[in-house]
Amino acid sequence: MTATQGTPTGRWLVTGAAGMLGRDVLRVLAAAGIEATARTRAELDVTDPAAVAAAVRGHDTVVNCAAWTDVDGAEADEAAATAVNGTAVRHLAAACAASGARLLHVSTDYVFPGDGTEPCAEDAPTGPVNAYGRSKLAGEQAVRELLPDTGYVVRTAWLYGAGGNNFVATMLRLGAQRDTLDVVDDQQGQPTWTHALAERLVELGRNHRAPAGVYHGTASGRTTWFGLAREAYRLGGLDPERIRPTTSAAFVRPAVRPAFSVLGHARWAEAGLPPLPDWREQLAQALTDPVFTDLAAAAGKSDR
């Protein structure tokens, strides 16, 4: 049996199950015939330690997709963001430690300062430049402290998928309303399809030989938001020239964004798994979903 096959051992719990990534994790688990309990924000208050302990009890693997994802909102209320992204993760980790469950916790590239020029390794020094990044780093630290042997931190970035609001869907949607779009071309990152990340999370959870610790769950390769938008238009049968480059200075936001969010993937080899595919390959697969094809069709009317 290979590391990627694994075994569907025990019961799984997915928190944040109504989110874009949580939905895809549940779909992948169902396709693999793995029994899973889904808990949405309405069904589980992850900031309540007693509720978390009760939810984790009876499960063997927990995938934490619950998160405060409003990056700009975190600047205005860092305490609230940290309660969800930091303290709540500590509750989950403590519950998993008490019950013996493994925890797969989804984190972010924002734990890094984003001022480099080479991909950040899994063990590179962290240094968040905004409140959201600090709140997520607190969650990482809780997992590594309480679950040194059974805790997995999977950092991801630039997520898009069919199950929620995201940059790719927004670009296609705006294409039906505007002839041209100005998109930032001075931030580099790795656009990652939620379905591909969900498959990798399940593979990791089924692989009991994978060492605990930090992994980078982002697509291979790199591009900018401008490059992503142009490729989405090209693949969607739209005119890429409708996308025009601009700088971050044109879109002032409350939270500073890392300029370089490219992550390294060397540690997957220790788990017997390859890095996730190139971002272009992932995008091409994602855009076959009817959610995206319908948006592209509507945007295509502006091309004619």
Side-chain angles (χ1 to χ4, degrees):
M1 181 175 292
T2 67
T4 53
Q5 289 174 321
T7 56
T9 304
R11 295 179 61 206
W12 290 49
L13 169 67
V14 180
T15 63
M20 187 168 60
L21 177 59
R23 292 180 185 182
D24 276 344
V25 170
L26 289 171
R27 291 189 188 99
V28 172
L29 288 170
I34 298 174
E35 182 182 2
T37 302
R39 287 291 178 264
T40 65
R41 180 171 59 182
E43 296 167 331
L44 175 62
D45 179 2
V46 291
T47 66
D48 180 343
V52 168
V56 169
R57 195 173 300 121
H59 295 89
D60 301 282
T61 303
V62 177
V63 184
N64 181 35
C65 299
W68 174 297
T69 57
D70 182 357
V71 175
D72 291 323
E75 291 298 309
D77 196 347
E78 185 167 352
T82 303
V84 176
N85 292 342
T87 307
V89 179
R90 181 168 290 275
H91 297 333
L92 275 168
C96 288
S99 68
R102 302 165 84 222
L103 175 61
L104 281 70
H105 170 63
V106 180
S107 191
T108 175
D109 60 303
Y110 277 38
V111 299
F112 294 116
D115 56 358
T117 57
E118 295 297 326
C120 287
E122 292 85 349
D123 60 355
T126 54
V129 294
N130 57 39
Y132 170 74
R134 290 190 293 270
S135 73
K136 293 295 286 186
L137 182 58
E140 288 193 9
Q141 291 167 338
V143 174
R144 301 184 72 180
E145 174 189 336
L146 298 179
L147 298 170
D149 300 316
T150 54
Y152 299 78
V153 172
V154 181
R155 295 174 180 143
T156 192
W158 293 29
L159 287 181
Y160 64 90
N165 293 325
N166 58 86
F167 177 83
V168 173
T170 297
M171 289 297 101
L172 294 173
R173 189 177 297 112
L174 289 176
Q177 305 168 16
R178 306 177 190 175
D179 291 335
T180 61
L181 295 169
D182 293 336
V183 181
V184 170
D185 196 30
D186 59 1
Q187 296 176 22
Q188 293 191 55
Q190 297 160 310
T192 304
W193 183 28
T194 50
H195 183 79
L197 176 59
E199 289 184 323
R200 179 49 51 88
L201 287 169
V202 173
E203 287 176 323
L204 186 61
R206 297 177 72 180
N207 180 1
H208 287 256
R209 290 172 293 180
V214 177
Y215 294 82
H216 286 165
T218 54
S220 298
R222 68 180 74 172
T223 188
T224 64
W225 293 112
F226 167 73
L228 172 58
R230 282 180 62 94
E231 185 67 2
Y233 268 46
R234 187 186 71 79
L235 291 170
L238 308 174
D239 181 7
E241 295 303 317
R242 294 173 59 188
I243 306 297
R244 305 183 306 190
T246 189
T247 67
S248 300
F251 297 95
V252 179
R253 308 283 290 276
V256 176
R257 265 62 174 178
F260 189 81
S261 288
V262 180
L263 305 183
H265 306 116
R267 194 142 192 270
W268 287 115
E270 296 182 40
L273 295 166
L276 290 176
D278 184 82
W279 69 273
R280 295 178 185 84
E281 179 182 337
Q282 291 188 31
L283 184 62
Q285 288 184 270
L287 290 185
T288 63
D289 189 285
V291 169
F292 290 119
T293 56
D294 289 349
L295 289 172
K301 296 177 182 178
S302 298
D303 282 348
R304 295 192 289 271

